[in-house]
Amino acid sequence: MLELLQRMQARLDASPHMLRLGRLISETVLLRVDGDEYYLVFDKGHLAEVVPGPSRKTPWRFAITTDSEALREFWKAHPKPGFHDIFGLVTIGRAKIEGDILAMVKNLRFFKEFLALPREEALA
Amino acid sequence: MTFEPITGRYLTVEVAGAPRRIYVEEAGQGRPVLCLHTAGADTMQWRHLMNDAEVTKHHRLIAFDMPWHGKSLPPKGFETEEYRLTTELYIETVLAVADGLGLERPILAGCSMGGRIALQLAALHGDRFSGFIAIEASDFQQSWYDIDWFHRPDAHGGEMGAALVSANISPYAPAEERWNTLWMFMSSGPGVFRGDLWFYTRDESLIDRLGQIDTARTPVHILVGAYDLTCTPEDAKRTAAAIPGATVSVMDELGHFPMSEHPAGFRPFFVDALARMQAPVVAD
């Protein structure tokens, strides 16, 4: 997962439109996958750091908790219904979002496109 | 240079005791089909079907922008008004436009909130129409989002709304039409999507009215996309089951905005729905 997140980090840096969308975003997002924690530290639209957890000292703005099997389906070019969107994963009970959800919603296109970056690899 | 066959004009009708300047598009000839757009969008959602010569050969497709949407102005004094669509206001608007256009028992085709009001009209004013194509339509379901997200001074409601509703677009939708669909939400007026959702997420009155719908006089066909998180196939099937004689089709590769997000995928379902709008002969 860490390696994949690092690939997403590089892909984000190579996506000018996403850096433009995210230019005001400097937040830490906690991603939990199969119980493993990853702190995604965004700085002005760049993913500055991916810090594996657990950590009790790292504050985060919002957290997304899911599982690797759900993400594998989510990242397919044509996921099954419900697996095609992060809110879909939430509605089918395969993900939950905690914390300041409004911070996510205000920048929803950026965070959705970031989370879907491996789907572009699937399409490639 | 070739113009599209769609023509657009403006019509002023009275709604809630005051004039509303309504933008109306149409194409084709034959049996009229009045088309209603979704929340937070406008008539552009119908342009593919209106440009489809086979569809318009025997059907006159008419779509209009609801007040506050697209090229229809909000009412005078809107600057101090909180826009909240209601069932009553929506019904009055649709009937006023149908009357203003002199339509005689058109088919009513509506998507999402347009599908919800189509079913309300089927229950309360079924005699005014000759059939109902209710797309992504259901009795009622709780929202999985907070409608107040979409109208706030510190963020762009349209961009948030577009990012949210992208959850309802099928991964099979062509990218160009996905983004054209989202553009309508991005460009909607401040508070308009929220005001539409006020109607869509809070009014449960349709549930008790479904049994009143007389499909022997006016057929009801419900279409629902498998990728629709807002009105799921389960929601649509539950709704159809409560309307004696209603039929439902699940569109496996489509989402909540089928005529807009994936025109080619939706076309056969819409053509089939039109064919179902032949009411059985009822002796008076």
Side-chain angles (χ1 to χ4, degrees), chain B residues 49-87:
Chain B
L49 285 164
M50 297 176 89
N51 276 327
D52 188 318
E54 283 300 308
V55 171
T56 56
K57 193 172 172 184
H58 299 296
H59 293 92
R60 177 186 170 203
L61 266 58
I62 305 145
F64 69 93
D65 290 341
M66 284 285 289
W68 299 82
H69 299 70
K71 286 199 268 278
S72 292
L73 284 168
K76 182 181 174 186
F78 80 89
E79 65 275 15
T80 56
E81 185 182 329
E82 180 185 2
Y83 170 59
R84 290 178 180 177
L85 185 62
T86 64
T87 297

Coordinates of all heavy atoms in Angstrom, one line a residue, chain B residues 49-87:
Chain B
L49 N -31.3 13.6 -27.0 CA -32.5 13.0 -27.5 C -33.2 14.0 -28.4 O -33.9 13.6 -29.4 CB -33.4 12.6 -26.4 CG -33.0 11.3 -25.6 CD1 -33.7 11.2 -24.3 CD2 -33.3 10.1 -26.5
M50 N -33.1 15.3 -28.2 CA -33.8 16.3 -29.0 C -33.1 16.4 -30.4 O -33.7 16.8 -31.3 CB -33.8 17.6 -28.3 CG -34.7 17.6 -27.0 SD -34.6 19.1 -26.1 CE -36.0 20.0 -26.9
N51 N -31.9 15.9 -30.4 CA -31.1 15.9 -31.7 C -31.2 14.6 -32.4 O -30.5 14.4 -33.4 CB -29.7 16.3 -31.4 CG -29.5 17.8 -31.4 OD1 -30.2 18.6 -32.1 ND2 -28.5 18.3 -30.6
D52 N -32.0 13.7 -31.9 CA -32.0 12.3 -32.4 C -33.2 12.3 -33.4 O -34.4 12.2 -33.0 CB -32.2 11.3 -31.3 CG -32.1 9.9 -31.7 OD1 -32.7 9.6 -32.8 OD2 -31.5 9.1 -31.0
A53 N -32.9 12.2 -34.7 CA -34.0 12.3 -35.7 C -35.0 11.2 -35.6 O -36.2 11.4 -35.9 CB -33.3 12.4 -37.1
E54 N -34.5 10.0 -35.2 CA -35.4 8.9 -35.2 C -36.5 9.1 -34.0 O -37.6 8.8 -34.1 CB -34.7 7.6 -34.9 CG -34.0 7.1 -36.2 CD -35.1 6.8 -37.3 OE1 -36.0 6.1 -37.0 OE2 -34.9 7.3 -38.4
V55 N -36.0 9.7 -32.9 CA -36.8 9.9 -31.8 C -37.8 11.1 -32.1 O -39.0 11.0 -31.8 CB -36.0 10.3 -30.5 CG1 -36.9 10.8 -29.4 CG2 -35.2 9.1 -30.1
T56 N -37.3 12.1 -32.8 CA -38.2 13.3 -33.0 C -39.0 13.2 -34.3 O -39.8 14.1 -34.6 CB -37.3 14.5 -33.1 OG1 -36.3 14.4 -34.1 CG2 -36.6 14.8 -31.8
K57 N -38.9 12.0 -35.0 CA -39.7 11.8 -36.2 C -41.2 11.8 -35.9 O -42.0 12.4 -36.6 CB -39.3 10.5 -36.8 CG -39.7 10.3 -38.2 CD -39.1 9.0 -38.8 CE -39.6 8.6 -40.1 NZ -39.0 7.3 -40.6
H58 N -41.5 11.2 -34.7 CA -42.9 11.1 -34.4 C -43.2 11.6 -33.0 O -44.3 11.4 -32.4 CB -43.4 9.6 -34.4 CG -43.2 9.0 -35.8 ND1 -44.0 9.4 -36.9 CD2 -42.4 8.0 -36.2 CE1 -43.6 8.7 -37.9 NE2 -42.7 7.9 -37.6
H59 N -42.2 12.3 -32.4 CA -42.4 12.9 -31.1 C -41.9 14.3 -31.0 O -40.8 14.6 -31.5 CB -41.7 12.0 -30.0 CG -42.3 10.7 -29.8 ND1 -41.9 9.6 -30.4 CD2 -43.3 10.3 -29.0 CE1 -42.6 8.5 -30.1 NE2 -43.5 8.9 -29.2
R60 N -42.7 15.2 -30.5 CA -42.2 16.6 -30.3 C -41.7 16.7 -28.9 O -42.5 16.7 -27.9 CB -43.5 17.5 -30.5 CG -43.2 19.0 -30.3 CD -44.5 19.7 -30.3 NE -44.3 21.1 -29.9 CZ -45.3 21.9 -29.4 NH1 -46.6 21.4 -29.4 NH2 -45.1 23.1 -29.0
L61 N -40.4 16.7 -28.7 CA -39.7 16.8 -27.4 C -39.6 18.3 -27.0 O -39.1 19.1 -27.7 CB -38.4 16.1 -27.4 CG -38.3 14.7 -27.0 CD1 -39.2 13.8 -27.9 CD2 -36.9 14.2 -27.1
I62 N -40.1 18.5 -25.8 CA -40.1 19.9 -25.3 C -39.5 19.8 -23.9 O -39.8 19.0 -23.1 CB -41.5 20.4 -25.1 CG1 -42.3 20.4 -26.5 CG2 -41.5 21.9 -24.6 CD1 -43.7 20.0 -26.3
A63 N -38.5 20.7 -23.7 CA -37.8 20.8 -22.4 C -37.8 22.2 -21.9 O -37.7 23.1 -22.8 CB -36.4 20.2 -22.4
F64 N -37.9 22.5 -20.7 CA -37.8 23.9 -20.2 C -37.0 23.9 -18.9 O -36.9 23.0 -18.2 CB -39.2 24.4 -19.9 CG -40.0 23.9 -18.8 CD1 -39.9 24.5 -17.5 CD2 -40.7 22.7 -18.9 CE1 -40.6 23.9 -16.4 CE2 -41.4 22.1 -17.8 CZ -41.3 22.8 -16.6
D65 N -36.4 25.1 -18.8 CA -35.6 25.4 -17.6 C -36.5 25.8 -16.5 O -37.3 26.8 -16.7 CB -34.5 26.5 -17.8 CG -33.4 26.0 -18.7 OD1 -33.2 24.8 -18.9 OD2 -32.7 27.0 -19.3
M66 N -36.5 25.1 -15.4 CA -37.3 25.6 -14.2 C -36.9 27.0 -13.8 O -35.7 27.4 -14.1 CB -37.1 24.7 -13.0 CG -37.8 23.3 -13.2 SD -39.6 23.5 -12.8 CE -39.6 23.8 -11.1
P67 N -37.8 27.8 -13.3 CA -37.3 29.1 -12.8 C -36.1 28.9 -11.9 O -36.0 27.9 -11.2 CB -38.5 29.6 -11.9 CG -39.7 28.9 -12.6 CD -39.2 27.6 -13.0
W68 N -35.1 29.8 -11.9 CA -33.9 29.8 -11.2 C -32.8 29.0 -11.9 O -31.6 29.0 -11.5 CB -34.0 29.2 -9.7 CG -34.9 29.9 -8.8 CD1 -36.2 29.8 -8.7 CD2 -34.5 30.8 -7.8 NE1 -36.7 30.6 -7.7 CE2 -35.7 31.2 -7.1 CE3 -33.3 31.4 -7.3 CZ2 -35.7 32.1 -6.0 CZ3 -33.2 32.2 -6.3 CH2 -34.4 32.6 -5.6
H69 N -33.2 28.2 -12.9 CA -32.3 27.3 -13.6 C -32.0 27.8 -15.0 O -32.9 28.3 -15.7 CB -32.9 25.9 -13.7 CG -33.1 25.3 -12.4 ND1 -34.1 25.7 -11.5 CD2 -32.5 24.2 -11.7 CE1 -34.1 24.9 -10.4 NE2 -33.2 24.1 -10.5
G70 N -30.8 27.4 -15.5 CA -30.4 27.7 -16.9 C -30.7 29.1 -17.3 O -30.3 30.1 -16.7
K71 N -31.5 29.2 -18.4 CA -31.8 30.6 -18.9 C -33.2 31.1 -18.4 O -33.7 32.1 -18.9 CB -31.8 30.5 -20.4 CG -30.4 30.4 -21.0 CD -30.3 30.9 -22.4 CE -30.5 29.7 -23.4 NZ -29.3 29.0 -23.6
S72 N -33.8 30.4 -17.5 CA -35.0 30.9 -16.8 C -34.6 31.8 -15.6 O -33.9 31.3 -14.8 CB -36.0 29.8 -16.4 OG -36.5 29.1 -17.5
L73 N -35.2 33.0 -15.6 CA -34.8 33.9 -14.4 C -35.4 33.4 -13.1 O -36.5 32.8 -13.2 CB -35.3 35.3 -14.8 CG -34.4 36.1 -15.8 CD1 -35.2 37.3 -16.2 CD2 -33.1 36.4 -15.2
P74 N -34.8 33.7 -12.0 CA -35.5 33.6 -10.8 C -36.6 34.7 -10.7 O -36.6 35.6 -11.5 CB -34.5 33.8 -9.7 CG -33.4 34.6 -10.4 CD -33.5 34.3 -11.9
P75 N -37.6 34.5 -9.8 CA -38.7 35.5 -9.7 C -38.1 36.9 -9.2 O -37.1 37.0 -8.6 CB -39.7 34.9 -8.7 CG -38.9 33.9 -8.0 CD -37.8 33.4 -8.8
K76 N -38.9 37.9 -9.5 CA -38.6 39.3 -9.0 C -38.4 39.2 -7.5 O -39.3 38.6 -6.8 CB -39.7 40.2 -9.4 CG -39.5 41.6 -9.0 CD -40.7 42.5 -9.4 CE -40.6 43.9 -8.9 NZ -41.8 44.7 -9.1
G77 N -37.4 39.8 -7.0 CA -37.2 39.8 -5.5 C -36.3 38.7 -5.0 O -36.2 38.5 -3.8
F78 N -35.8 37.9 -5.9 CA -35.0 36.7 -5.5 C -33.9 37.0 -4.6 O -33.4 36.1 -3.8 CB -34.5 35.9 -6.8 CG -33.3 36.5 -7.4 CD1 -32.0 36.1 -7.0 CD2 -33.3 37.5 -8.4 CE1 -30.9 36.6 -7.5 CE2 -32.2 38.0 -8.9 CZ -31.0 37.6 -8.5
E79 N -33.4 38.3 -4.7 CA -32.1 38.6 -4.0 C -32.3 38.5 -2.5 O -31.3 38.4 -1.8 CB -31.6 40.0 -4.4 CG -32.5 41.1 -4.1 CD -33.6 41.4 -5.1 OE1 -33.9 40.5 -5.9 OE2 -34.2 42.5 -5.0
T80 N -33.5 38.5 -2.0 CA -33.7 38.4 -0.6 C -34.5 37.1 -0.2 O -35.0 37.0 0.9 CB -34.5 39.6 0.0 OG1 -35.7 39.8 -0.7 CG2 -33.7 40.9 -0.2
E81 N -34.7 36.3 -1.2 CA -35.5 35.1 -1.0 C -34.6 33.9 -0.9 O -33.5 33.8 -1.5 CB -36.4 34.9 -2.2 CG -37.4 33.7 -2.1 CD -38.2 33.6 -3.4 OE1 -38.5 34.6 -4.1 OE2 -38.6 32.4 -3.7
E82 N -35.0 32.9 0.0 CA -34.3 31.7 0.1 C -35.0 30.7 -0.8 O -36.2 30.4 -0.6 CB -34.3 31.1 1.5 CG -33.6 29.8 1.6 CD -33.7 29.2 3.0 OE1 -34.3 29.8 3.9 OE2 -33.1 28.1 3.2
Y83 N -34.4 30.2 -1.9 CA -35.0 29.4 -2.8 C -35.3 28.0 -2.2 O -34.3 27.3 -1.8 CB -34.2 29.2 -4.1 CG -34.7 28.1 -5.0 CD1 -36.0 28.2 -5.6 CD2 -33.9 27.1 -5.4 CE1 -36.5 27.2 -6.4 CE2 -34.3 26.1 -6.3 CZ -35.6 26.1 -6.8 OH -36.1 25.1 -7.6
R84 N -36.5 27.6 -2.1 CA -36.9 26.2 -1.7 C -38.0 25.7 -2.6 O -39.1 26.2 -2.5 CB -37.4 26.3 -0.3 CG -36.4 26.6 0.8 CD -37.1 26.6 2.1 NE -36.2 26.8 3.2 CZ -36.6 27.0 4.5 NH1 -37.9 26.8 4.8 NH2 -35.8 27.2 5.5
L85 N -37.7 24.7 -3.4 CA -38.7 24.2 -4.2 C -39.7 23.3 -3.4 O -39.2 22.6 -2.5 CB -38.1 23.3 -5.3 CG -39.0 22.7 -6.4 CD1 -39.7 23.8 -7.2 CD2 -38.2 21.8 -7.3
T86 N -41.0 23.4 -3.7 CA -41.9 22.5 -3.0 C -42.7 21.7 -4.0 O -42.7 22.1 -5.2 CB -42.9 23.3 -2.1 OG1 -43.7 24.1 -3.1 CG2 -42.2 24.2 -1.1
T87 N -43.3 20.7 -3.6 CA -44.2 19.9 -4.4 C -45.2 20.7 -5.1 O -45.5 20.7 -6.3 CB -44.8 18.7 -3.6 OG1 -43.8 17.9 -3.1 CG2 -45.8 17.9 -4.5

